[in-house]
Amino acid sequence: MARRAAWGASVSRMLDLTAAQQREQFGISLDTLHGDSDDDLESCRLVVDLARLAGYDAILSPSAALAGAQNLNLYIDGRADHLRFREVLARVPLNYE
């Protein structure tokens, strides 16, 4: 049986690409983040590389698969002592009927 849980994470620096101002600062559009062309994917990879070089530990991005949802993408190089995780909601069974 599949189960779902909600997790919280504490990171030092997170780039919030759900915010239009942050997307504009990094030169990427919402359409590009949601796109699946080779150019879209390469643009996303470039933003990740730039964010990591700028010292970001994570990127909060709008989900391309589910409107209104968000993804937290963590980038860990070496030890992860600075990251903290916690379960914020109890695990609940998923009903896929």
Side-chain angles (χ1 to χ4, degrees):
M1 173 184 288
R3 295 177 109 33
R4 175 185 60 134
W7 293 88
S10 298
V11 296
S12 299
R13 294 189 66 206
M14 180 185 73
L15 175 60
D16 184 359
L17 292 179
T18 65
Q21 181 181 5
Q22 293 280 324
R23 289 193 305 271
E24 186 176 312
Q25 182 181 2
F26 274 77
I28 195 160
S29 70
L30 194 56
D31 287 339
T32 300
L33 288 174
H34 287 170
D36 61 0
S37 73
D38 288 342
D39 287 343
D40 293 337
L41 296 174
E42 189 56 36
S43 295
C44 290
R45 289 184 194 109
L46 179 60
V47 168
V48 169
D49 290 343
L50 292 173
R52 292 180 76 188
L53 285 171
Y56 288 98
D57 296 318
I59 296 176
L60 183 66
S61 60
S63 172
L66 184 60
Q70 301 171 341
N71 299 314
L72 179 61
N73 309 280
L74 300 172
Y75 301 98
I76 303 169
D77 295 315
R79 295 179 59 102
D81 296 343
H82 61 291
L83 299 176
R84 298 288 177 257
F85 298 95
R86 65 196 178 285
E87 191 171 5
V88 294
L89 293 177
R91 294 175 186 252
V92 295
L94 296 178
N95 181 356
Y96 287 111
E97 295 183 80

